[in-house]
Amino acid sequence: MTVITVNTSKDRLGLEQRRKLAETLTDAVLVPEVGQFAPAARVGFQVHFVERDPDMMAIGGLLLADAGPDLDVMVIDVAVMDGDWRREVRTQVIERVLAAMSDVCGTAEPSPAWWVNFRVIDEGSWGAGGGVLSILSLLDSGVFTPEKAEAIRSALMA
């Protein structure tokens, strides 16, 4: 289970860009999380797009409304269930998220003001469907590679 929230200034992303990002951001996290491209796992991912008026966002102590149109600010928050999130896996996710954003936004590279927060929700702290979920119950679903499932078990049992 993963929630990706893209916070942008109003009208920064068009409908077609959001459609593409819904897929590419999902896969940017899915592949490192389960260890392979597994379309069946997409159902466990949500992507939310939050737009804010330029007078509701600031950077460097300055409202975007006062900074001018050239400042491109985004915060992408990635919240994942506890699992195999070693530094190199988190790095891979963040780089893949920024690459997806850059590709869809048509920039050669991500803006320095596009920030990604990567948050791991502790085991036993994710709820859905009327109860508490554990990634351990998902490991036998067939979407995780055996190596990734073992890495998750090891990480959570440590």
Side-chain angles (χ1 to χ4, degrees):
M1 310 294 281
T2 296
V3 177
I4 303 163
T5 306
V6 180
N7 297 278
T8 65
S9 57
K10 190 167 180 67
D11 299 323
R12 172 60 178 90
L13 300 171
L15 177 60
E16 289 307 314
Q17 289 174 306
R18 291 191 307 272
R19 281 191 174 119
K20 183 69 175 167
L21 285 168
E23 179 181 342
T24 59
L25 291 175
T26 293
D27 293 342
V29 182
L30 182 151
V31 172
E33 184 170 11
V34 304
Q36 63 184 344
F37 178 65
R42 285 180 171 161
V43 70
F45 288 72
Q46 292 185 20
V47 179
H48 298 238
F49 297 96
V50 179
E51 294 185 326
R52 301 183 194 288
D53 288 323
D55 63 346
M56 300 299 285
M57 296 175 71
I59 188 167
L62 189 62
L63 288 174
L64 294 185
D66 299 331
D70 295 333
L71 194 54
D72 192 11
V73 174
M74 291 187 209
V75 175
I76 302 103
D77 183 70
V78 180
V80 298
M81 295 177 84
D82 205 352
D84 176 33
W85 295 115
R86 294 165 283 134
R87 180 180 300 272
E88 59 266 22
V89 178
R90 288 177 288 160
T91 297
Q92 183 183 17
V93 168
I94 291 168
E95 289 172 350
R96 290 170 59 96
V97 164
L98 288 169
M101 294 299 303
S102 187
D103 180 59
V104 168
C105 290
T107 62
E109 58 185 42
S111 164
W114 296 358
W115 298 350
V116 178
N117 295 323
F118 188 94
R119 297 183 300 120
V120 177
I121 308 302
D122 290 337
E123 178 67 14
S125 298
W126 196 291
V132 176
L133 299 180
S134 169
I135 197 165
L136 295 172
S137 64
L138 302 173
L139 296 181
D140 295 324
S141 65
V143 298
F144 293 87
T145 64
E147 298 81 13
K148 184 55 82 166
E150 183 54 37
I152 292 169
R153 284 187 185 94
S154 295
L156 294 181
M157 301 304 172

